[in-house]
Amino acid sequence: MRLNGPLSILRAALLVLLAGHHRCVSGSYTPPEALENNGTMFAVCKVRPSSSLPSGLLKVTGQVLFRQDEHEALEVLLRFNGLPKEGAQDARAVHIHQYGDLSHGCDSTGGHYNPEVVYHPNHPGDFGNFVPQQGKINAVIKSQASLFGDQSVIGRAVVIHEKIDDMGRGGDTGSLLHGNAGRRLGCCIIGISSSTLWNMHHKQYTRRLRKN
Ligand SMILES: [Cu+2]
Ligand SMILES: [Zn+2]
């Protein structure tokens, strides 16, 4: 009987340890923002021209918005301005890069975020090519990237490039690393947000789709 006290404390301590361990291993941790939004996470990335670009090059601005229900695919709403009106057929590549570090403009964001160590274009943030219309890109896509778990892209960067992504078909090393998409025009760091921006801009986007 005398052992009951210390034993029950030990058992409680063990349970707490196991619970903590289980949480890490299963990746079942749900961020508080998702709990507030019925399991949905939102994020935002405000695109600015790269500070390391030579002057005279395109000044691309924009916003990339993210929405994801836990265990569902990530939706991404991409909005870019400042692209040329002529040569509108020139598609631009957009990717998630490894580092959320803009200390040397978009050049310090590292290579493509590549948690599974695979070739391009199989990285989770290989969003592909987008053709501007009247100097703008407006698109909604589904992506393999995630706002949840060990491979969350929160804190990493979105980069828009000068050129088209060859999607790994260029026949050289660069193609399998980054799609030979050229210089980095603009970029931003992905941060957790409320649902406000997504709700507003997604509504505008679908309204515009219905009109066209
Ligand atoms: Cu890139
Ligand atoms: Zn890639």
Side-chain angles (χ1 to χ4, degrees), residues 51-66:
S51 63
S52 52
L53 262 190
S55 58
L57 269 173
L58 287 174
K59 295 264 181 288
V60 179
T61 55
Q63 206 168 42
V64 184
L65 301 172
F66 301 83

Side-chain angles (χ1 to χ4, degrees), residues 95 97 112 161:
H95 315 118
H97 285 234
H112 289 195
H161 289 265

Side-chain angles (χ1 to χ4, degrees), residues 95-96 112-114 118-127 165 175-179:
H95 315 118
I96 295 178
H112 289 195
Y113 175 51
N114 187 10
V118 293
Y119 288 126
H120 181 79
N122 298 308
H123 306 132
D126 288 342
F127 292 160
D165 186 326
S175 181
L176 296 173
L177 284 175
H178 47 60

Side-chain angles (χ1 to χ4, degrees), residues 8-208:
S8 57
I9 290 169
L10 198 67
R11 200 190 298 144
L14 197 67
L15 278 175
V16 167
L17 261 178
L18 280 175
H21 185 65
H22 176 75
R23 219 164 84 139
C24 288
V25 169
S26 69
S28 64
Y29 166 73
T30 304
E33 296 77 20
L35 292 174
E36 284 163 20
N37 291 307
N38 297 320
T40 307
M41 282 286 282
F42 296 89
V44 64
C45 196
K46 190 170 168 53
V47 182
R48 295 182 191 282
S50 179
S51 63
S52 52
L53 262 190
S55 58
L57 269 173
L58 287 174
K59 295 264 181 288
V60 179
T61 55
Q63 206 168 42
V64 184
L65 301 172
F66 301 83
R67 178 192 187 281
Q68 186 179 17
D69 293 327
E70 204 168 5
H71 313 302
E72 300 287 334
L74 173 69
E75 293 173 274
V76 189
L77 170 50
L78 302 110
R79 305 167 67 235
F80 295 102
N81 301 301
L83 292 153
K85 292 206 169 67
E86 353 31 279
Q89 70 281 2
D90 298 340
R92 312 282 163 158
V94 182
H95 315 118
I96 295 178
H97 285 234
Q98 184 174 6
Y99 303 125
D101 173 8
L102 308 187
S103 58
H104 291 95
C106 306
D107 292 339
S108 41
T109 60
H112 289 195
Y113 175 51
N114 187 10
E116 305 282 0
V117 197
V118 293
Y119 288 126
H120 181 79
N122 298 308
H123 306 132
D126 288 342
F127 292 160
N129 290 308
F130 300 86
V131 178
Q133 287 184 331
Q134 319 215 303
K136 293 176 186 193
I137 290 169
N138 271 296
V140 172
I141 58 162
K142 287 245 162 87
S143 168
Q144 296 295 311
S146 183
L147 302 180
F148 292 92
D150 296 342
Q151 296 189 359
S152 165
V153 295
I154 288 161
R156 303 189 186 279
V158 175
V159 177
I160 178 163
H161 289 265
E162 189 183 21
K163 294 198 275 186
I164 192 167
D165 186 326
D166 68 20
M167 304 305 273
R169 292 191 286 264
D172 57 12
T173 318
S175 181
L176 296 173
L177 284 175
H178 47 60
N180 294 319
R183 281 190 285 202
R184 304 169 179 193
L185 298 177
C187 56
C188 53
I189 304 169
I190 304 167
I192 295 171
S193 74
S194 74
S195 60
T196 311
L197 282 170
W198 176 275
N199 289 342
M200 182 169 83
H201 290 293
H202 193 262
K203 206 175 284 170
Q204 278 177 10
Y205 174 82
T206 45
R207 206 179 293 144
R208 206 168 23 230

